[in-house]
Amino acid sequence: MTWLGAVPALPGEHGAAHVDALLLAALAGVAADFVCTHTDRSGPVAVTTLSAHVTGDVDVDRLAGALGGPVAVLDDSGTPAARAARAGRDRLDGRCVRFPGQSALTGTHPAAEVVAVSAIDRVVGIGVEVAPTDPVRTLGFLRPVCRDGELLLLVEPAVGGVLRPAEAESPHQCRGGH
């Protein structure tokens, strides 16, 4: 099992869900249980980076071509790549676009079940406390966030007494997209 780090070159200006789709399409055929996007603010311009925990063989050159940017195998030495690998392993600061148990979370599930069947560590309410029995309507789309070594699903109250993910798969564009 290996961590990969990448700096994808994504065409045009697209919303987060579109970027996720492009990244996941580039990773088609790669056995990766965790795939996260991060914002690297260490340079003069912030860039989107990708970390992936690969559980099988991967053709790094093919993946770099599909992503349009460099891909590095991250090791455990003291190099900057190793520090990034450890950060990825700890799932710090980012959005998780693929995670174990994701496919089991369609429909509506109690918050405790969301945690029990997936890699999500906690369901966290925005403006509301979340009890283990509170129903979470997944809407077939979950993008938990990585914070301080935990994978958190952020939810908000919705009509009908359920909670829904705070991030929608296809958020509407205001003012006709202008």
Side-chain angles (χ1 to χ4, degrees):
M1 292 185 274
T2 303
W3 279 93
L4 299 178
V7 181
L10 303 172
E13 295 182 24
H14 304 289
H18 183 73
V19 169
D20 293 351
L22 290 173
L23 293 174
L24 291 173
L27 285 162
V30 175
D33 55 2
F34 279 99
V35 177
C36 297
T37 60
H38 313 274
T39 303
D40 180 351
R41 293 181 175 89
S42 63
V45 176
V47 296
T48 298
T49 63
L50 171 81
S51 64
H53 186 243
V54 177
T55 58
D57 293 333
V58 62
D59 181 341
V60 173
D61 293 332
R62 186 211 62 83
L63 185 57
L67 291 171
V71 173
V73 175
L74 307 175
D75 62 26
D76 286 326
S77 68
T79 65
R83 288 191 296 278
R86 286 191 293 276
R89 233 184 340 265
D90 293 337
R91 303 186 319 254
L92 296 174
D93 299 317
R95 296 170 62 251
C96 198
V97 298
R98 184 185 294 166
F99 57 93
Q102 185 173 22
S103 63
L105 295 174
T106 59
T108 303
H109 304 271
E113 183 180 331
V114 170
V115 172
V117 303
S118 73
I120 293 172
D121 295 306
R122 289 190 296 138
V123 177
V124 178
I126 298 174
V128 64
E129 292 291 323
V130 177
T133 57
D134 287 346
V136 177
R137 184 173 295 146
T138 68
L139 307 173
F141 176 86
L142 297 177
R143 289 296 181 261
V145 295
C146 309
R147 274 197 205 141
D148 299 324
E150 285 188 296
L151 194 57
L152 308 174
L153 178 61
L154 303 178
V155 296
E156 60 190 7
V159 175
V162 299
L163 300 169
R164 69 174 182 200
E167 182 179 339
E169 181 175 15
S170 299
H172 70 281
Q173 293 184 356
C174 298
R175 298 178 51 194
H178 299 253

